[in-house]
Amino acid sequence: MLAEPVDPESETLEFVHPLIASAVYDAIPAATRVALHGQAAWCVVDAGLGPTAAARHLVETHPEGDPWVVQHLRAAAQETLRAGAPDTARRYLVRALREPPDYDERAAVLFELGCASLLTEPATTVNHLRAALEEPVSDPALRHGIVYRLAQVLAHSDRLVEASELLERESRQPTTDARSKLRMQAEKFLWDALRADEPESPARSRRLATLADRLSGRDLTERYIIGLRAWDATLRAEPATVALRHAERALEGGLTWADESRNFEVPVLVALLHLYADRPGRAEELFAAGTAEFEKQGWRGAHLAFAYTLIGYIRFRRGRLMEAEDFARAGLRLAERVGPRTPALWYATGVMIEILLARGRTDEAERVAREHDFGDPFPNAVTIPDCETVHAELLLAIGRTEEALGALSAVGQRLDPRGKRNPSCCPWQLHLALAQAPTSPARALATAQEAVARARQYGAPSAIGQALRVTAEVSEGEERIKLLEESVDWLDQSPAAYELARSLVALGAALRRTERHAEAAEHLYRGLETAQTCGADGLVEEARTELAAAGLRPRALRTTATDALTARERAAAEATLAGKDPAAAVGVDRTTATRLLSAVYRKLGTDRAGLDSALRAKQVTGP
């Protein structure tokens, strides 16, 4: 059957076969077809089918300067953009510009067109928004919206200086009210904080701290400023408790991830600082909620690439390397679509390299770096993890120690004057110490000890434990063993499983070399089991080699892939919170109690300070 009635009581026919339908459509004279599309648009609107149904007809009509056409195309673009179809929204808005819109409406259409292009075509978005600013804009709210969005897309295009200067100029306009000036100040704080070459970072930190301490968090702008204060405290290695206190102030009233008029970077930074403060479980909760917001809005470009990449980074820091790799690969695929050498791709490539190095796949890490042009010149924007440090770490891993030494020294010269001193965020000093060790052991030791001092100032157990392990690697004799023992003690109090495995294997190897085989075996077996659970294949092989050198055979591994606490783990955690001795409460020796609590911290994704809230959250959500 070629055609059938749409309604049994109607004489209207619908062509069923697509070739026949196309042939009939093409046979209609062009002028008649355009007129019919115009009539169809009016009919579907009158029938209450909405602007999106009308828009497919309106795009086929000729421009006639009709405000009704512009109105319905704009409404249809908003609907399709909310539904996650930005390409269709752009098509409608381009057609609306051709109509054209009224003189005082053109800026609004250009703004909407820029918003529709934001996630996939940053350069095009800049052009649309700059054109919008050149139009006469009588509505201050619209002008400010254009400024905020233009600053955002400039920053996402690695043009942070332009973003900052734009906000500075606009804040000085006499028509800008006090609350708008505060928001522009907040936006400027953000983009300046993300500039790798910011010249006045310490002064900005002081201004930010003074302002944030005066704010109550009554609206989103104030909470964004408080969130930035928390992130700045993290970078400067103020005690983790200070950063977490400000973070909770910012989160108390809510931070939205997918508000079209706001930046998503501040909620991301607030989530990430929990990771550096040894609260990765809390960081994952925030990222899960934020990613759900992105997906609900249909944001599948740079935003979702960042989300997947950074979830992978959180899993990496927890030592869940196989899961981390899956998320990082998803983020990398999305980032590749955004474009080469964009911030999203720098983030994704850096995280992917970190994970592959941890898994012992150095050749693959080198290939990923080469395929994505991961090297000089580096971006102007701050990246997480710091891409110059990751690049130097890769150089160190493939044996190009002199190049790594120069690169890491340059990182230090860039970060230290800007007050960015936290080795939990950027462990450049740890890699620098390892690069210095072959030729300048005394300098290497001094560098590592400075990193330990900074880590202790910050107070996160994982940062202290990692810094102590590197200090041990550039030390000798009994001092090496003492440092590794302290490193294991600290990491047992953290959720960082991979770093714990590294310190356990290193301690076992050091003990074996001093003929303390029984103690070596205990740590090597535990390190092997932890590395296996993490998916750190290279470290597993290292542990097996050390066991073989000690004349021991690896025993059967007892690994689980669950975050559910065992009865003894829960009892040890509850005893600790009650101020009781967990060993006595569970009926085990002190070493076993320490290991039970270590498993608790890794499963819950927290350190001792966050145990209470993490355990209560676990009880609410269940295993």
mmCIF file of all heavy atoms in Angstrom, residues 74 104-112 132-133 136-148:
data_model
loop_
_atom_site.group_PDB
_atom_site.id
_atom_site.type_symbol
_atom_site.label_atom_id
_atom_site.label_comp_id
_atom_site.label_asym_id
_atom_site.label_seq_id
_atom_site.Cartn_x
_atom_site.Cartn_y
_atom_site.Cartn_z
ATOM 1 N N ARG A 74 12.716 30.694 18.355
ATOM 2 C CA ARG A 74 13.451 30.804 19.616
ATOM 3 C C ARG A 74 12.885 29.839 20.656
ATOM 4 O O ARG A 74 13.639 29.162 21.378
ATOM 5 C CB ARG A 74 13.397 32.233 20.156
ATOM 6 C CG ARG A 74 14.216 33.232 19.354
ATOM 7 C CD ARG A 74 14.088 34.643 19.922
ATOM 8 N NE ARG A 74 14.662 34.722 21.268
ATOM 9 C CZ ARG A 74 14.535 35.785 22.056
ATOM 10 N NH1 ARG A 74 13.832 36.838 21.654
ATOM 11 N NH2 ARG A 74 15.102 35.794 23.254
ATOM 12 N N ASP A 104 16.072 45.338 18.503
ATOM 13 C CA ASP A 104 16.393 45.181 19.916
ATOM 14 C C ASP A 104 16.346 43.725 20.374
ATOM 15 O O ASP A 104 16.573 43.430 21.555
ATOM 16 C CB ASP A 104 15.452 46.032 20.773
ATOM 17 C CG ASP A 104 13.985 45.649 20.573
ATOM 18 O OD1 ASP A 104 13.716 44.833 19.671
ATOM 19 O OD2 ASP A 104 13.131 46.156 21.320
ATOM 20 N N GLU A 105 16.034 42.818 19.469
ATOM 21 C CA GLU A 105 15.964 41.398 19.814
ATOM 22 C C GLU A 105 17.165 40.622 19.288
ATOM 23 O O GLU A 105 17.408 39.488 19.686
ATOM 24 C CB GLU A 105 14.667 40.812 19.224
ATOM 25 C CG GLU A 105 14.277 39.459 19.762
ATOM 26 C CD GLU A 105 12.983 38.947 19.165
ATOM 27 O OE1 GLU A 105 12.425 39.610 18.253
ATOM 28 O OE2 GLU A 105 12.519 37.882 19.606
ATOM 29 N N ARG A 106 17.939 41.218 18.421
ATOM 30 C CA ARG A 106 19.035 40.513 17.763
ATOM 31 C C ARG A 106 20.090 40.025 18.762
ATOM 32 O O ARG A 106 20.588 38.901 18.657
ATOM 33 C CB ARG A 106 19.680 41.429 16.715
ATOM 34 C CG ARG A 106 20.816 40.790 15.951
ATOM 35 C CD ARG A 106 21.318 41.699 14.830
ATOM 36 N NE ARG A 106 22.562 41.195 14.298
ATOM 37 C CZ ARG A 106 22.671 40.202 13.411
ATOM 38 N NH1 ARG A 106 21.575 39.620 12.963
ATOM 39 N NH2 ARG A 106 23.850 39.809 12.986
ATOM 40 N N ALA A 107 20.404 40.844 19.744
ATOM 41 C CA ALA A 107 21.403 40.446 20.740
ATOM 42 C C ALA A 107 20.956 39.197 21.490
ATOM 43 O O ALA A 107 21.765 38.302 21.769
ATOM 44 C CB ALA A 107 21.659 41.583 21.716
ATOM 45 N N ALA A 108 19.675 39.129 21.833
ATOM 46 C CA ALA A 108 19.164 37.962 22.559
ATOM 47 C C ALA A 108 19.266 36.695 21.713
ATOM 48 O O ALA A 108 19.626 35.627 22.221
ATOM 49 C CB ALA A 108 17.712 38.207 22.975
ATOM 50 N N VAL A 109 18.956 36.817 20.411
ATOM 51 C CA VAL A 109 19.050 35.635 19.533
ATOM 52 C C VAL A 109 20.504 35.198 19.397
ATOM 53 O O VAL A 109 20.817 34.007 19.437
ATOM 54 C CB VAL A 109 18.426 35.941 18.157
ATOM 55 C CG1 VAL A 109 18.585 34.739 17.222
ATOM 56 C CG2 VAL A 109 16.953 36.297 18.303
ATOM 57 N N LEU A 110 21.422 36.151 19.242
ATOM 58 C CA LEU A 110 22.846 35.805 19.172
ATOM 59 C C LEU A 110 23.327 35.146 20.462
ATOM 60 O O LEU A 110 24.129 34.196 20.435
ATOM 61 C CB LEU A 110 23.664 37.062 18.885
ATOM 62 C CG LEU A 110 23.629 37.585 17.445
ATOM 63 C CD1 LEU A 110 24.164 39.006 17.382
ATOM 64 C CD2 LEU A 110 24.423 36.661 16.520
ATOM 65 N N PHE A 111 22.850 35.648 21.595
ATOM 66 C CA PHE A 111 23.207 35.048 22.888
ATOM 67 C C PHE A 111 22.724 33.599 22.957
ATOM 68 O O PHE A 111 23.478 32.700 23.349
ATOM 69 C CB PHE A 111 22.595 35.874 24.008
ATOM 70 C CG PHE A 111 22.736 35.276 25.383
ATOM 71 C CD1 PHE A 111 23.977 34.937 25.890
ATOM 72 C CD2 PHE A 111 21.627 35.048 26.177
ATOM 73 C CE1 PHE A 111 24.120 34.386 27.161
ATOM 74 C CE2 PHE A 111 21.742 34.503 27.438
ATOM 75 C CZ PHE A 111 22.992 34.168 27.932
ATOM 76 N N GLU A 112 21.483 33.369 22.579
ATOM 77 C CA GLU A 112 20.938 32.006 22.605
ATOM 78 C C GLU A 112 21.688 31.102 21.638
ATOM 79 O O GLU A 112 21.925 29.925 21.929
ATOM 80 C CB GLU A 112 19.452 32.048 22.282
ATOM 81 C CG GLU A 112 18.622 32.708 23.378
ATOM 82 C CD GLU A 112 17.223 33.096 22.918
ATOM 83 O OE1 GLU A 112 16.850 32.697 21.788
ATOM 84 O OE2 GLU A 112 16.519 33.790 23.664
ATOM 85 N N ALA A 132 26.964 39.632 19.854
ATOM 86 C CA ALA A 132 25.839 40.032 20.707
ATOM 87 C C ALA A 132 26.194 41.263 21.531
ATOM 88 O O ALA A 132 25.367 42.172 21.713
ATOM 89 C CB ALA A 132 25.445 38.878 21.626
ATOM 90 N N LEU A 133 27.427 41.320 22.041
ATOM 91 C CA LEU A 133 27.841 42.479 22.842
ATOM 92 C C LEU A 133 27.933 43.746 22.006
ATOM 93 O O LEU A 133 27.839 44.859 22.540
ATOM 94 C CB LEU A 133 29.189 42.202 23.512
ATOM 95 C CG LEU A 133 29.179 41.437 24.834
ATOM 96 C CD1 LEU A 133 30.579 41.345 25.404
ATOM 97 C CD2 LEU A 133 28.242 42.092 25.842
ATOM 98 N N PRO A 136 23.099 46.856 20.399
ATOM 99 C CA PRO A 136 22.547 47.649 21.517
ATOM 100 C C PRO A 136 21.718 46.752 22.433
ATOM 101 O O PRO A 136 20.795 46.082 21.978
ATOM 102 C CB PRO A 136 21.663 48.692 20.804
ATOM 103 C CG PRO A 136 21.341 48.089 19.476
ATOM 104 C CD PRO A 136 22.516 47.235 19.100
ATOM 105 N N VAL A 137 22.091 46.687 23.706
ATOM 106 C CA VAL A 137 21.401 45.823 24.668
ATOM 107 C C VAL A 137 20.822 46.719 25.761
ATOM 108 O O VAL A 137 21.557 47.287 26.567
ATOM 109 C CB VAL A 137 22.360 44.780 25.285
ATOM 110 C CG1 VAL A 137 21.595 43.852 26.224
ATOM 111 C CG2 VAL A 137 23.054 43.980 24.198
ATOM 112 N N SER A 138 19.504 46.833 25.796
ATOM 113 C CA SER A 138 18.861 47.701 26.785
ATOM 114 C C SER A 138 18.643 47.004 28.121
ATOM 115 O O SER A 138 18.526 47.666 29.153
ATOM 116 C CB SER A 138 17.518 48.197 26.239
ATOM 117 O OG SER A 138 16.683 47.092 25.915
ATOM 118 N N ASP A 139 18.614 45.683 28.112
ATOM 119 C CA ASP A 139 18.352 44.919 29.336
ATOM 120 C C ASP A 139 19.677 44.583 30.023
ATOM 121 O O ASP A 139 20.467 43.791 29.490
ATOM 122 C CB ASP A 139 17.593 43.639 28.987
ATOM 123 C CG ASP A 139 17.282 42.797 30.218
ATOM 124 O OD1 ASP A 139 17.568 43.255 31.344
ATOM 125 O OD2 ASP A 139 16.767 41.672 30.055
ATOM 126 N N PRO A 140 19.964 45.157 31.200
ATOM 127 C CA PRO A 140 21.240 44.863 31.876
ATOM 128 C C PRO A 140 21.420 43.377 32.169
ATOM 129 O O PRO A 140 22.535 42.859 32.076
ATOM 130 C CB PRO A 140 21.150 45.676 33.172
ATOM 131 C CG PRO A 140 20.162 46.747 32.894
ATOM 132 C CD PRO A 140 19.168 46.152 31.942
ATOM 133 N N ALA A 141 20.337 42.681 32.523
ATOM 134 C CA ALA A 141 20.455 41.253 32.836
ATOM 135 C C ALA A 141 20.926 40.469 31.620
ATOM 136 O O ALA A 141 21.747 39.548 31.738
ATOM 137 C CB ALA A 141 19.114 40.714 33.331
ATOM 138 N N LEU A 142 20.418 40.819 30.434
ATOM 139 C CA LEU A 142 20.859 40.146 29.207
ATOM 140 C C LEU A 142 22.323 40.444 28.931
ATOM 141 O O LEU A 142 23.101 39.527 28.612
ATOM 142 C CB LEU A 142 19.992 40.587 28.029
ATOM 143 C CG LEU A 142 20.433 40.078 26.647
ATOM 144 C CD1 LEU A 142 20.449 38.550 26.603
ATOM 145 C CD2 LEU A 142 19.541 40.647 25.548
ATOM 146 N N ARG A 143 22.724 41.695 29.062
ATOM 147 C CA ARG A 143 24.126 42.045 28.810
ATOM 148 C C ARG A 143 25.060 41.289 29.759
ATOM 149 O O ARG A 143 26.076 40.747 29.332
ATOM 150 C CB ARG A 143 24.333 43.557 28.952
ATOM 151 C CG ARG A 143 25.772 43.959 28.659
ATOM 152 C CD ARG A 143 25.995 45.447 28.634
ATOM 153 N NE ARG A 143 27.395 45.728 28.310
ATOM 154 C CZ ARG A 143 27.885 45.801 27.083
ATOM 155 N NH1 ARG A 143 27.089 45.643 26.047
ATOM 156 N NH2 ARG A 143 29.173 46.035 26.885
ATOM 157 N N HIS A 144 24.688 41.246 31.031
ATOM 158 C CA HIS A 144 25.534 40.533 31.987
ATOM 159 C C HIS A 144 25.577 39.044 31.668
ATOM 160 O O HIS A 144 26.628 38.405 31.804
ATOM 161 C CB HIS A 144 25.017 40.761 33.408
ATOM 162 C CG HIS A 144 25.097 42.187 33.841
ATOM 163 N ND1 HIS A 144 24.342 42.706 34.878
ATOM 164 C CD2 HIS A 144 25.839 43.225 33.369
ATOM 165 C CE1 HIS A 144 24.625 43.988 35.024
ATOM 166 N NE2 HIS A 144 25.517 44.328 34.126
ATOM 167 N N GLY A 145 24.445 38.479 31.253
ATOM 168 C CA GLY A 145 24.432 37.072 30.868
ATOM 169 C C GLY A 145 25.370 36.794 29.710
ATOM 170 O O GLY A 145 26.078 35.777 29.690
ATOM 171 N N ILE A 146 25.390 37.709 28.732
ATOM 172 C CA ILE A 146 26.314 37.552 27.595
ATOM 173 C C ILE A 146 27.760 37.603 28.083
ATOM 174 O O ILE A 146 28.610 36.811 27.670
ATOM 175 C CB ILE A 146 26.050 38.657 26.549
ATOM 176 C CG1 ILE A 146 24.648 38.512 25.961
ATOM 177 C CG2 ILE A 146 27.092 38.599 25.438
ATOM 178 C CD1 ILE A 146 24.207 39.706 25.116
ATOM 179 N N VAL A 147 28.043 38.540 28.989
ATOM 180 C CA VAL A 147 29.413 38.692 29.515
ATOM 181 C C VAL A 147 29.845 37.428 30.260
ATOM 182 O O VAL A 147 30.958 36.911 30.053
ATOM 183 C CB VAL A 147 29.502 39.925 30.433
ATOM 184 C CG1 VAL A 147 30.822 39.933 31.198
ATOM 185 C CG2 VAL A 147 29.357 41.201 29.618
ATOM 186 N N TYR A 148 28.980 36.903 31.138
ATOM 187 C CA TYR A 148 29.342 35.707 31.895
ATOM 188 C C TYR A 148 29.623 34.533 30.953
ATOM 189 O O TYR A 148 30.595 33.798 31.124
ATOM 190 C CB TYR A 148 28.209 35.308 32.850
ATOM 191 C CG TYR A 148 27.845 36.354 33.875
ATOM 192 C CD1 TYR A 148 26.513 36.548 34.248
ATOM 193 C CD2 TYR A 148 28.816 37.159 34.477
ATOM 194 C CE1 TYR A 148 26.163 37.507 35.188
ATOM 195 C CE2 TYR A 148 28.469 38.115 35.418
ATOM 196 C CZ TYR A 148 27.135 38.292 35.764
ATOM 197 O OH TYR A 148 26.793 39.242 36.691
#
